[in-house]
């Protein structure tokens, strides 16, 4: 038997552990990226790693706390499906989707790119929404607690003020039970969604539901996070819109009923100044109790 | 038909979007936490939200880039099981587990708490590992490319230098195919793991495999991330250890073969100064080609 040889120091206490806490360690992780990393990936991940490490150091994040976060992330993935994106919802409740939407919009304005990135549409937009005649309805299975409204407006050029004929107004909304048609077997296909093409005067119109608040799904880690943060789950009443016209920058937006609850504390922080709208009583129309006028001005797409 | 009434401004361009980019928006999200949020949750999430927002603003994160991250998080959850934690592995490749381990250790030293938080053990430790006699082996299905080593050492008190009798050295390692026994149907139960109790002189000893490098699983988003960062998937050769003794602070650690590849670029950043060990040739022992002496000094657990 050979004698013990080259005794290897002892335990691994303070010195190495403290080393890992510092900026040197973060630099090591960032510099581990290889030369074939794309410049944009390098920029994004360098900043992400720096901020995540700074966060962990700042709050002295413990292993148990970190593991709780890992478990919530794994749970989010496990309950996500074609019809539900829990990872997205977790980002929404910390305001991240709203923030990247704003950043993306700002970048697009700067670079003069069209604003039609599909991801900002959220999980409920559909690409195959039917075009419907102006003045018709998108509510086909109006629930007993549903209130019908008539929505109309004019699409004009921000530069000249001239009406834009042939602009497409793509609209979708949830029913009073908080579900979009593809989440709800009780609603018919394409209920509460439609595309409307503006006439020669740039006008569009349709009947829809006056929107109602609904809670985001609370049965997953996003709901768990809201509970841990002592926050409610509700979104204010809103309608989704995309407005597109040839030669103009498209706009993807949500409009919020000015009389809705939760305007000040939307659980996913989507309410922004200038996006609230006023429903007013509609007279002499048995088909609708309220009406909403929403005019849209589109910026010219510079080439 | 009522006349249009209360026209609601137009589009929702620059002003509201720019608003959402600033610190005001981040403050709004942080202040949304209710009064029943625990103080620690408030501290952790305030810092997390601040850093995630700062990151998004700093790199001008776009919706498409963010959605790619969401998809990777969801995919991590979808492939995680009892035997595999892909969310953990994604954190590991950005150095986060190593960092929170170090922070947790440092906090425990400060507060004089025991260092036995289960989460830092990683996914392959087992609570039901059998105790084995000193001088016996933990390698029962030694693969043809496996090299056996004899590992021994003395556990002493850091304060007095006195040997600690009855200390428990809990050891586990992967086989040469990179799999721990619970991942590998070809290995017998409890292969390559065991607990050894120190004798009156504080000594422990056993036969094991000289450890070999292996790649972390590459079939999920963690592997995808490593590829996007142009990094390899390999971990350097290592053995896991927990050393516990009554009246002393437990130590959970990994020791790394000083001759292994990937010491400088461990894909999960677990290598720290003072954790590398030297295997030397073993003479006159047909059962082992190498030996390793690893002495352990434990700090007194102050009450």
């Amino acid at each position: 038997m050979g004698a013990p040889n080259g005794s290897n120091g002892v335990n691994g206490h303070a010195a190495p552990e403290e080393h890992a806490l510092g900026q040197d360690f973060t630099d090591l992780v960032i510099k581990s990226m290889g030369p074939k990393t794309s410049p944009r990936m390098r920029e994004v991940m360098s900043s992400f790693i720096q901020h995540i490490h700074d966060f962990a150091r700042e709050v002295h994040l413990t292993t148990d706390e970190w593991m709780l976060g890992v478990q919530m992330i794994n749970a989010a993935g496990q309950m996500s499906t074609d019809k539900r994106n829990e990872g997205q919802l977790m980002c929404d409740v910390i305001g991240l989707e709203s923030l990247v939407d704003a950043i993306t919009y700002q970048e697009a304005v700067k670079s003069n790119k069209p604003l039609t990135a599909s991801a900002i549409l959220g999980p409920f937009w559909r690409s195959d929404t039917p075009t419907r005649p102006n003045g018709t309805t998108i509510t086909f299975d109006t629930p007993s607690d549903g209130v019908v409204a008539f929505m109309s407006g004019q699409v004009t050029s921000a530069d000249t003020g001239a009406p834009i004929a042939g602009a497409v107004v793509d609209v979708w909304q949830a029913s009073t039970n908080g579900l979009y048609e593809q989440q709800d077997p009780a609603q018919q296909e394409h209920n509460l969604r439609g595309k409307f093409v503006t006439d020669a005067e740039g006008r569009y119109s349709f009947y829809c539901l006056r929107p109602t608040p609904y809670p985001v799904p609370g049965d997953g880690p996003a709901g768990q996070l809201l509970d841990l943060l002592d926050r409610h789950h509700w979104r204010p009443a809103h309608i989704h819109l995309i407005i597109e016209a040839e030669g103009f920058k498209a706009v993807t937006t949500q409009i919020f009923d000015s009389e809705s609850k939760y305007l000040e504390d939307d659980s996913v922080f989507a309410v922004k100044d200038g996006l609230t709208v006023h429903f007013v009583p509609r007279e002499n129309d048995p088909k609708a109790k309220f009406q909403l006028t929403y005019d849209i001005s589109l910026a010219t797409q510079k080439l």
Side-chain angles (χ1 to χ4, degrees), chain A:
Chain A
M1 307 273 282
N5 194 329
S7 179
N8 291 286
V10 265
N11 61 59
H13 274 209
E17 306 289 347
E18 278 168 1
H19 174 74
L21 289 170
Q23 183 60 35
D24 282 357
F25 176 69
T26 302
D27 289 342
L28 175 76
V29 175
I30 290 172
K31 284 177 185 159
S32 71
M33 284 182 243
K36 290 178 203 146
T37 311
S38 80
R40 178 59 177 163
M41 179 63 64
R42 185 182 302 274
E43 179 185 19
V44 169
M45 287 305 297
S46 295
S47 174
F48 182 74
I49 291 165
Q50 183 69 56
H51 278 290
I52 286 292
H53 283 205
D54 284 346
F55 152 67
R57 283 187 285 253
E58 190 171 296
V59 302
H60 302 275
L61 192 69
T62 68
T63 307
D64 289 347
E65 291 168 339
W66 162 73
M67 187 50 72
L68 179 66
V70 168
Q71 285 161 352
M72 289 177 82
I73 283 176
N74 284 337
Q78 277 153 8
M79 79 191 308
S80 291
T81 64
D82 282 355
K83 292 190 176 175
R84 174 167 190 176
N85 190 331
E86 187 76 7
Q88 178 174 1
L89 189 59
M90 288 191 76
C91 293
D92 290 357
V93 302
I94 60 166
L96 188 58
E97 182 173 13
S98 196
L99 181 56
V100 297
D101 273 4
I103 292 169
T104 304
Y105 186 93
Q106 201 177 54
E107 292 296 302
V109 167
K110 267 194 229 166
S111 65
N112 199 39
K113 282 181 191 157
L115 294 173
T116 49
S118 62
I120 69 170
L121 302 173
F124 301 116
W125 178 77
R126 287 180 62 163
S127 61
D128 58 350
T129 295
T131 300
R132 307 185 191 278
N134 280 309
T136 64
T137 192
I138 63 170
T139 174
F140 298 100
D141 299 301
T142 306
S144 58
D145 59 347
V147 175
V148 176
F150 179 77
M151 176 167 168
S152 64
Q154 188 179 30
V155 181
T156 57
S157 163
D159 291 340
T160 67
I164 304 173
V168 176
V169 178
D170 185 351
V171 58
W172 66 108
Q173 67 178 162
S175 189
T176 54
N177 61 0
L179 298 176
Y180 292 83
E181 49 91 10
Q182 69 266 60
Q183 299 175 284
D184 185 359
Q187 291 180 52
Q188 74 175 61
E189 182 92 344
H190 295 302
N191 187 41
L192 296 173
R193 63 179 74 238
K195 288 183 178 174
F196 298 88
V197 181
T198 56
D199 65 16
E201 293 185 337
R203 298 192 180 278
Y204 72 91
S205 61
F206 54 86
Y207 291 90
C208 59
L209 290 181
R210 183 164 181 178
T212 41
Y214 60 82
V216 298
D219 55 342
Q224 187 189 358
L225 181 60
L226 284 170
D227 294 341
L228 286 168
L229 301 181
D230 188 25
R231 284 169 46 189
H232 69 71
H233 295 203
W234 289 83
R235 297 217 57 211
H238 64 278
I239 297 173
H240 292 271
L241 291 166
I242 301 173
I243 307 98
E244 294 182 298
E246 203 181 330
F248 295 88
K249 292 183 184 177
V251 172
T252 302
T253 194
Q254 297 176 38
I255 54 176
F256 296 89
D257 186 336
S258 63
E259 294 181 15
S260 176
K261 282 189 74 172
Y262 312 115
L263 284 174
E264 302 301 319
D265 53 352
D266 180 1
S267 60
V268 302
F269 304 98
V271 182
K272 295 170 188 169
D273 295 340
L275 297 183
T276 51
V277 294
H278 304 278
F279 286 85
V280 295
R282 182 165 174 86
E283 290 161 18
N284 305 319
D285 183 355
K287 289 190 281 181
K289 284 196 179 168
F290 291 92
Q291 68 184 26
L292 168 66
T293 303
Y294 185 67
D295 294 332
I296 299 143
S297 136
L298 296 181
T300 307
Q301 180 75 48
K302 294 180 186 69
L303 301 175

